[in-house]
């Protein structure tokens, strides 16, 4: 079969300072206890810039231990900023009755340093002999690598379980190999819930680190 999803994510978060609307298609196939899937996503920012990702993955259910192990590979292309970037990603998952564990690793590929432009610094003009000298400032943008780990548990209680309410906590690190930039370490807290018999999914997430500071993002999809 195939699954479809459309959603909107509002608020600032790590690596993004604007809201996006996304469209998602995911074909899938079951073979005994194994689940194969693909996914293609296109997103559009409020300013009309685009990006997208595509991936392939597999999940296998182990009935003796009652858990699922999954892995997937991804390619992402992002033109939502003033420069275009590409990255590859790997995801690993373990789902159980009591806890879900998710881990991701992303690495930038291609030309990951882009020059955005050079401007004259206001007030820097001065005479040097018979010439006028200006100080300039060049803006650069760089792609980054990232690793994250998230643990998710179901919230107990009849009402919480009727909404499939889950609470998550995680850690992430962003780093730029070969660039003279400090690593960024942060944490995230998140809640997920489903409504209308799981037709509507809602989540809210808080992230905090020394570079992006504290951000709250909210998302809803159908």
């Amino acid at each position: 079969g195939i699954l479809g999803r459309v959603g909107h994510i509002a608020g600032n978060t790590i690596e993004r300072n604007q809201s996006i609307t996304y469209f998602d298609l995911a074909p899938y196939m079951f073979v005994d206890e194994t689940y194969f899937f693909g996914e293609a996503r296109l997103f559009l920012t409020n300013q009309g810039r685009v990006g997208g990702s595509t991936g392939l993955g597999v999940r296998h259910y182990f009935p003796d231990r009652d858990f699922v192990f999954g892995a997937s590979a991804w390619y992402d292309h992002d033109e939502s900023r003033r420069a275009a970037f590409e990255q590859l990603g790997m995801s690993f998952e373990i789902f159980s009755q009591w806890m879900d564990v998710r881990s991701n690793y992303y690495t930038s590929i291609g030309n990951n340093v882009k020059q955005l432009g050079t401007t004259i610094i206001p007030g820097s003009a001065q005479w040097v002999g018979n010439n006028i000298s200006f100080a300039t400032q060049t803006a650069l943008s760089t792609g980054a690598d990232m690793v994250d780990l998230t643990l998710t548990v179901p919230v107990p209680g009849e009402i919480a379980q009727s909404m499939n309410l889950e609470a998550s906590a995680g850690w992430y690190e962003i780093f730029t190999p070969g660039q003279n930039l400090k690593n960024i370490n942060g944490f995230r807290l998140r809640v997920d819930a489903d409504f209308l018999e799981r037709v509507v999914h809602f989540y809210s997430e808080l992230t905090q680190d020394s570079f992006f500071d504290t951000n709250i993002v909210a998302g809803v999809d159908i």
Side-chain angles (χ1 to χ4, degrees):
I2 187 168
L3 300 174
R5 182 170 62 176
V6 59
H8 184 76
I9 304 174
N12 298 345
T13 185
I14 53 174
E15 299 189 271
R16 194 184 72 245
N17 58 8
Q18 53 188 317
S19 302
I20 64 172
T21 300
Y22 60 87
F23 309 88
D24 203 339
L25 288 177
Y28 66 90
M29 179 176 63
F30 283 96
V31 179
D32 296 327
E33 306 293 348
T34 305
Y35 171 71
F36 299 94
F37 66 93
E39 187 164 354
R41 171 182 287 198
L42 175 71
F43 71 82
L44 184 69
T45 71
N46 288 0
Q47 287 74 31
R49 296 173 178 167
V50 299
S53 64
T54 184
L56 294 172
V58 59
R59 292 171 178 155
H60 183 76
Y61 175 61
F62 296 86
D64 294 341
R65 300 290 183 176
D66 192 24
F67 78 95
V68 172
F69 175 78
S72 55
W74 301 87
Y75 166 78
D76 306 311
H77 185 88
D78 186 357
E79 297 184 10
S80 63
R81 301 169 182 84
R82 291 162 60 190
F85 290 101
E86 297 174 289
Q87 69 178 16
L88 298 177
M90 287 292 297
S91 298
F92 300 95
E93 309 161 322
I94 297 177
F95 303 145
S96 70
Q97 183 178 358
W98 310 109
M99 178 180 290
D100 296 340
V101 181
R102 296 176 174 88
S103 181
N104 304 284
Y105 174 72
Y106 309 96
T107 183
S108 181
I109 61 173
N111 180 11
N112 65 345
V113 178
K114 308 289 179 66
Q115 182 171 322
L116 302 181
T118 300
T119 58
I120 297 174
I121 298 177
S124 65
Q126 58 181 338
W127 285 100
V128 179
N130 294 325
N131 300 310
I132 297 178
S133 173
F134 298 91
T136 62
Q137 177 175 282
T138 298
L140 300 175
S141 184
T142 180
D145 295 357
M146 180 175 175
V147 61
D148 66 60
L149 176 68
T150 303
L151 307 179
T152 302
V153 296
V155 177
E158 184 177 348
I159 297 178
Q161 291 182 3
S162 68
M163 297 187 298
N164 196 32
L165 186 62
E166 296 178 328
S168 302
W171 158 88
Y172 58 88
E173 182 174 9
I174 303 171
F175 48 97
T176 52
Q179 305 296 321
N180 188 25
L181 298 171
K182 292 182 178 180
N183 291 4
I184 302 169
N185 286 278
F187 71 89
R188 60 159 52 97
L189 301 174
R190 172 172 169 147
V191 292
D192 288 77
D194 294 321
F195 301 96
L196 302 178
E197 297 183 352
R198 301 196 178 187
V199 173
V200 177
H201 176 79
F202 169 83
Y203 75 85
S204 181
E205 183 174 276
L206 180 146
T207 61
Q208 201 284 327
D209 59 62
S210 58
F211 186 84
F212 295 102
D213 202 10
T214 302
N215 292 288
I216 296 178
V217 59
V220 59
D221 57 48
I222 299 174

